[in-house]
Amino acid sequence: MSPKLTFLLCLGLSVGLRTSGQAGIYRKPSLSALPSPVVTSGGFVTLQCISWQGFDRFILTKEGEHRPSWTLDSQRRHNGQFQALFPVGPVTPSYRWTFRCCGCYRYIHQQCSEPSDPVELLVPGVSGKPSLLSQQGSIMTFGRNLTLQCLSDVGYDRFALSKEGGHNLPQRLSERPQTGRSQADFLLGRVSLSHGGRYRCYGGHKFSSKWSTPSDPLDILVAGVLPDTPSLSVQPGPTVAVGENMTLLCQTRSQRDILFLSKEGTMVSPLRLRSKYQAQQYQAQFSMSPVTSAHGGTYRCYSSFSTSPYELSHPSDALELVVSGPSGDPTSPPTWPNLTSGVQGLKPYQNVLIGISVAFVLLLFLFVLLLIRHRQQGKCRTSDATVKNTQPEEGVELHPQAAASDAPQDVIYAQLNHLTLGRKTTPPSSQSEEPPAEPSVYSALAIH
């Protein structure tokens, strides 16, 4: 079968469909990429064409100038569907990889289905990544409308949205609400269980096969899937001063291994912690220290399983947290946290700098002490040398006990006798006599 005829058949222009009036019988099959339509450069992917109609074969066509096509016999799945798996690759960003498929009967002349919806393979590039947001927040409840917004400062012409584990890649043309900015809204409809998951978006140009780097992931969580309702409390209390420490405690009696904490009115992803079994409950403590004015608001917590982290329990009752100034007035402006909280909140490199500074001061103090001690020892050595080198002057005879003693009072006694008496002193009659205790006594006698 020629590529041209294959393309015409996949457009549903067969004579059999037109003349028999049964054009609505052969519904278009579904085409998806396995495991994902996002493919790394040089990678391979499998395109699955599947239908409930019992087609004998499926035809895959690639959009482009030459419209190449491939034909495979169908295979019946265990659930009764018919499919064909087309391996494709290596995929490169040099070309656009857009495909359609249709189902055909082998023995019924020119009877094929309508073509499937197109599937384009996406090869991430290196251009600026866009941002992916949910205006309703990350946690959704059943029945609410979900809209994801992809936007970028780069002037992209189109955006694509991917879901982790998904097989489709919906695309939207971008809007230009502001000069130099581009965005696209993906309306995903009313929330159901299938909406839970991790999403990313990409930006691309209309006539180019190259795409941007992926956005940061956005998790969409569906609340109300699990039947339990956790409880949420705060320590030390719902009113806390700026700079103090605060702990939010989420508890549930149901066996859950993941607990989430969310704050209303913010697009920041909720916090998640692994639970601990204590006091017959599964609980997690969310510590926030030091508290700032930004911590004020309404909080709720949820429980979940690690095996299905996008399916949550019912929310806990709302907990209103009020952040006050040091005076306890909720309206007073925020102040600096106390020193203790500030040290606890320091970054690791700041702690290292403080430790080095303290060590330097201690070393400097020790060096000064050693220097002072060294100088004092030098003075003592100089004084001892002066005493040992002192000789009695002519005409002065020292007391035998004084001459044998190096004590300072003996030296003073000899000098006073020389100055006042000017004559030879008579040694004491008894060697057992002890010299006076203080030199001031000798000074007083000499003056008298």
Side-chain angles (χ1 to χ4, degrees):
M1 186 179 295
S2 67
K4 182 177 181 180
L5 180 58
T6 300
F7 174 65
L8 291 176
L9 291 176
C10 284
L11 287 180
L13 299 179
S14 64
V15 177
L17 290 177
R18 294 291 185 179
T19 57
S20 65
Q22 296 179 338
I25 294 179
Y26 305 127
R27 293 183 178 180
K28 60 184 179 183
S30 174
L31 182 63
S32 58
L34 304 177
S36 171
V38 180
V39 189
T40 58
S41 181
F44 291 80
V45 69
T46 299
L47 296 181
Q48 180 191 51
C49 190
I50 190 169
S51 174
W52 287 102
Q53 194 72 31
F55 295 116
D56 298 316
R57 56 184 176 172
F58 291 95
I59 302 172
L60 179 71
T61 60
K62 182 178 183 291
E63 294 186 358
E65 182 179 356
H66 302 291
R67 295 187 182 276
S69 65
W70 301 264
T71 302
L72 287 178
D73 291 339
S74 66
Q75 298 175 345
R76 187 163 186 171
R77 290 166 51 91
H78 63 278
N79 61 355
Q81 288 181 302
F82 292 83
Q83 71 170 14
L85 301 176
F86 296 88
V88 176
V91 180
T92 64
S94 304
Y95 305 96
R96 293 188 65 170
W97 300 78
T98 304
F99 297 87
R100 294 175 186 265
C101 77
C102 63
C104 297
Y105 288 103
R106 186 187 303 273
Y107 303 107
I108 303 178
H109 182 62
Q110 293 183 340
Q111 286 201 7
C112 293
S113 69
E114 296 179 1
S116 67
D117 294 330
V119 168
E120 181 175 359
L121 303 182
L122 187 153
V123 181
V126 296
S127 58
K129 68 178 180 180
S131 300
L132 184 61
L133 305 174
S134 171
Q135 298 296 338
Q136 300 96 333
S138 297
I139 300 179
M140 302 292 296
T141 55
F142 287 107
R144 292 185 62 187
N145 289 320
L146 176 61
T147 300
L148 300 184
Q149 185 179 72
C150 190
L151 62 158
S152 174
D153 292 332
V154 180
Y156 292 119
D157 299 314
R158 55 179 179 155
F159 290 96
L161 180 68
S162 71
K163 180 186 176 185
E164 197 171 276
H167 308 312
N168 298 316
L169 195 71
Q171 296 186 29
R172 298 289 185 274
L173 295 177
S174 67
E175 302 174 357
R176 302 290 179 90
Q178 298 179 9
T179 304
R181 292 181 62 88
S182 55
Q183 71 176 53
D185 294 337
F186 292 86
L187 307 178
L188 302 185
R190 294 185 178 275
V191 173
S192 64
L193 189 60
S194 62
H195 284 92
R198 175 164 292 182
Y199 294 81
R200 291 180 175 88
C201 75
Y202 304 79
H205 297 284
K206 187 179 300 184
F207 301 106
S208 173
S209 60
K210 298 180 179 179
W211 291 87
S212 71
T213 55
S215 67
D216 292 332
L218 173 65
D219 291 342
I220 296 299
L221 313 174
V222 181
V225 179
L226 303 180
D228 62 306
T229 302
S231 63
L232 183 62
S233 59
V234 59
Q235 295 294 334
T239 300
V240 61
V242 171
E244 293 184 350
N245 298 330
M246 174 185 67
T247 300
L248 294 174
L249 178 64
C250 184
Q251 296 177 307
T252 179
R253 294 189 178 277
S254 301
Q255 185 175 356
R256 305 285 185 262
D257 52 357
I258 299 293
L259 293 174
F260 290 84
L261 177 69
S262 70
K263 181 183 178 183
E264 289 186 359
T266 178
M267 290 184 289
V268 179
S269 298
L271 302 176
R272 56 178 292 173
L273 289 177
R274 184 169 291 276
S275 66
K276 296 180 180 179
Y277 185 71
Q278 188 174 354
Q280 298 183 347
Q281 294 198 82
Y282 293 86
Q283 63 182 20
Q285 295 182 356
F286 297 87
S287 299
M288 300 181 184
S289 58
V291 173
T292 66
S293 57
H295 286 108
T298 303
Y299 292 84
R300 287 182 170 87
C301 76
Y302 304 79
S303 67
S304 180
F305 293 108
S306 58
T307 54
S308 53
Y310 307 110
E311 302 173 5
L312 306 185
S313 68
H314 294 281
S316 67
D317 292 335
L319 175 64
E320 186 72 22
L321 183 65
V322 178
V323 178
S324 66
S327 62
D329 181 9
T331 61
S332 61
T335 58
W336 294 104
N338 58 55
L339 294 178
T340 302
S341 299
V343 171
Q344 292 175 349
L346 289 178
K347 297 181 179 179
Y349 72 89
Q350 292 174 317
N351 291 327
V352 173
L353 291 177
I354 291 175
I356 293 175
S357 301
V358 172
F360 178 77
V361 172
L362 291 176
L363 288 175
L364 182 61
F365 180 71
L366 180 62
F367 175 76
V368 172
L369 287 179
L370 291 175
L371 182 61
I372 293 174
R373 183 178 179 182
H374 177 73
R375 289 185 177 180
Q376 288 179 346
Q377 289 177 349
K379 290 181 179 181
C380 291
R381 293 193 187 97
T382 304
S383 176
D384 293 342
T386 302
V387 173
K388 290 179 181 180
N389 293 333
T390 302
Q391 299 295 332
E393 295 185 10
E394 184 179 357
V396 177
E397 183 178 346
L398 295 178
H399 191 283
Q401 187 174 358
S405 175
D406 292 333
Q409 60 266 26
D410 298 334
V411 177
I412 297 173
Y413 169 69
Q415 292 175 348
L416 288 174
N417 285 340
H418 170 70
L419 293 175
T420 57
L421 302 178
R423 66 176 181 274
K424 186 176 180 180
T425 58
T426 303
S429 59
S430 174
Q431 295 294 333
S432 62
E433 293 182 5
E434 296 182 0
E438 298 294 336
S440 59
V441 177
Y442 292 91
S443 301
L445 291 173
I447 295 174
H448 178 73

